[in-house]
Amino acid sequence: MANDLAHAAQELGIKYFLISYVDLFGGLRAKLAPAAAIGSMQRAGAGFAGFATWLDMSPADADLFAVPDPESLIQLPWKPEVGWLASDLVMNDELVAQAPRNVLKSTMLGAESIGYQMKTGVECEFFLTNADGTKISDTADNAIKPCYDQSALMRRYDVIKEICDCMLALGWGPYQNDHEDANGQFEMNWNFDDALVTADRHVFFKYMARAIAEKHGLRATFMPKPFIDLTGSGCHMHTSLWSEEGANLFADEDGELGVSDLCYNFIGGLIHSADALCAFTNPTVNSYKRINAPRTVSGATWAPNTVTYTGNNRTHMIRIPDAGRLELRLPDGAANPYLAPAAVLAAGLDGIQNQREPGKRLDINMYTDGHKVRGAKKLPLNLLDALRALEKSTVLRNSLGAPVVDGFLKLKHEEWNAYARHLTQWERDNTLDI
């Protein structure tokens, strides 16, 4: 990666730069700067009015500056004259403590100070719909069990291929693409990496998928549950901790299921903070139509509703699919690419520092036998429950910092209240004549 963005523009033929940041709601914001101005932008940042996006700021606040990180530079494969940059937010010459990317970097620095580097990989599921998002784009994609349907996959070959070709060109190491469990739903996988690298790529992947879908007259949506009878879109997070010397600290060939005591303590931390964690991994009203869903057309939701862990079993919140890593199946497509891993790391480190035990592993089918489990916590039923759990979480507040927790809670409570004020057709259908 180039440290001098002006030089990189000359070398790569970049004419414009998207200087971007992600707000508390996961929205991607940007300014388009000509290459001739990138030198000053690299030094001072691009100016924004923070209140105009989902940050806990007021119109009276000073200018917000997005200072681009040259290490994050991505040249758009489908529009190579444009370079994309992730940025760190600064106000009054100080890092903005509530800015999601800053929060992840700070949490990772805390982990590195005690010898841990977190690496993650995400499974981004999304739907390809018609342009207005009201129905899936492929009317022939109507199988009851459409997962891995080759014909449905190949009918969207041009879109999937173009996205995958971009990831290949960028060196991300994409290794498989599939039609997922819902009609019109897809998943694309690339190699795991340092958690910040993965987070930046996650942000860009969502933008890229949407942009390429639009080229084909379609819409890519990462909404957790756009269709009530179909399986929702998750964003499963595979996680491991590594030493400065490059050793996987979650791996233990003598450990149960090939993972170390450190990993089990990390899992214990996730279990301890699971309800509060949901505020960041499942941050929308719609999210709770996925994790508390009835059985879908395909026969399973593939989403958790109880705080449990297991081995290679997809019906639990945490799965240990292989030696040396865990899979958190809680996050959905709306999860903030920076705040979700920051919260996971914070909860996991708390588990390590306090040697939290995860309890007994369960290997049952939670979808059929979960009602028999005694003592396991249930996940929040809605966004309000998750926000109230976050309010009580000293673990996440102390680790992530009061500015981001308080700002997030303030804005999300406003969002919940706006939803609660919304009159639905269901209410009319069921109470109009009472």
Side-chain angles (χ1 to χ4, degrees), residues 361-428:
R361 188 183 83 236
L362 295 177
D363 294 322
I364 63 171
N365 182 339
M366 286 298 293
Y367 298 157
T368 58
D369 298 322
H371 63 284
K372 301 176 183 178
V373 177
R374 297 290 178 263
K377 294 189 297 183
K378 287 288 188 179
L379 290 169
L381 290 175
N382 52 52
L383 177 61
L384 181 61
D385 287 349
L387 296 178
R388 287 171 171 167
L390 178 59
E391 286 173 340
K392 298 175 183 177
S393 175
T394 56
V395 171
L396 295 185
R397 179 179 295 275
N398 291 342
S399 181
L400 303 179
V404 67
V405 171
D406 289 341
F408 182 84
L409 284 169
K410 174 186 172 182
L411 296 177
K412 280 293 175 179
H413 273 299
E414 291 174 359
E415 181 181 62
W416 173 264
N417 290 337
Y419 165 71
R421 289 192 297 268
H422 176 67
L423 186 64
T424 66
Q425 188 60 43
W426 185 95
E427 293 170 271
R428 288 187 171 277

Side-chain angles (χ1 to χ4, degrees), residues 3 7 15 19-20 50 60 107 112 137 142 153 158 166 173 198 213 249 255 280 284 332 344 365 371 376 405:
N3 289 322
H7 179 71
K15 297 179 181 179
I19 301 175
S20 73
T107 309
E112 289 168 12
S137 62
N142 54 18
L153 175 63
D158 290 344
C166 288
T198 294
L249 299 175
F280 293 117
T284 68
D332 61 41
V344 166
N365 182 339
H371 63 284
V405 171

Side-chain angles (χ1 to χ4, degrees), residues 281-292:
T281 58
N282 309 90
T284 68
V285 169
N286 181 255
S287 295
Y288 297 85
K289 290 179 169 62
R290 168 183 168 264
I291 62 174
N292 290 301

Side-chain angles (χ1 to χ4, degrees), residues 130-258:
N130 59 358
D132 66 6
T134 56
K135 61 182 69 174
I136 64 170
S137 62
D138 180 4
T139 57
D141 188 353
N142 54 18
I144 293 175
K145 285 188 176 288
C147 203
Y148 314 124
D149 187 317
Q150 178 172 291
S151 295
L153 175 63
M154 292 306 290
R155 283 197 296 272
R156 288 291 170 259
Y157 172 78
D158 290 344
V159 180
I160 301 301
K161 174 187 179 296
E162 186 169 352
I163 298 171
C164 191
D165 282 349
C166 288
M167 291 194 285
L168 286 166
L170 294 171
W172 291 9
Y175 55 90
Q176 62 184 12
N177 312 294
D178 68 79
H179 189 293
E180 267 299 321
D181 193 64
N183 307 105
Q185 187 185 47
F186 300 86
E187 179 183 309
M188 307 183 72
N189 304 122
W190 66 90
N191 286 339
F192 75 97
D193 212 313
D194 174 82
L196 181 63
V197 172
T198 294
D200 286 341
R201 290 176 177 176
H202 185 182
V203 172
F204 186 81
F205 176 82
K206 294 177 74 172
Y207 165 65
M208 175 169 62
R210 290 179 177 129
I212 291 174
E214 286 177 5
K215 284 179 58 181
H216 293 266
L218 307 177
R219 185 174 193 158
T221 176
F222 296 83
M223 182 178 177
K225 190 79 169 178
F227 305 105
I228 199 64
D229 58 337
L230 300 180
T231 304
S233 290
C235 186
H236 306 153
M237 184 186 303
H238 294 258
T239 304
S240 52
L241 292 184
W242 295 66
S243 71
E244 294 177 0
E245 294 75 29
N248 183 352
L249 299 175
F250 277 9
D252 184 348
E253 61 183 20
D254 296 322
E256 187 174 310
L257 300 179

Side-chain angles (χ1 to χ4, degrees), residues 4-81:
D4 185 335
L5 290 173
H7 179 71
Q10 294 177 341
E11 289 288 307
L12 300 172
I14 295 174
K15 297 179 181 179
Y16 287 90
F17 288 89
L18 283 165
I19 301 175
S20 73
Y21 71 91
V22 170
D23 64 24
L24 288 171
F25 282 14
L28 182 58
R29 313 292 180 155
K31 282 195 172 180
L32 185 65
I38 196 60
S40 61
M41 294 288 181
Q42 184 172 0
R43 290 188 297 273
F48 293 80
F51 176 74
T53 68
W54 292 116
L55 293 169
D56 182 22
M57 295 180 178
S58 83
D61 281 321
D63 284 344
L64 179 73
F65 289 95
V67 180
D69 180 354
E71 292 295 315
S72 71
L73 175 62
I74 295 175
Q75 189 172 10
L76 276 57
W78 69 96
K79 200 181 293 288
E81 65 185 33

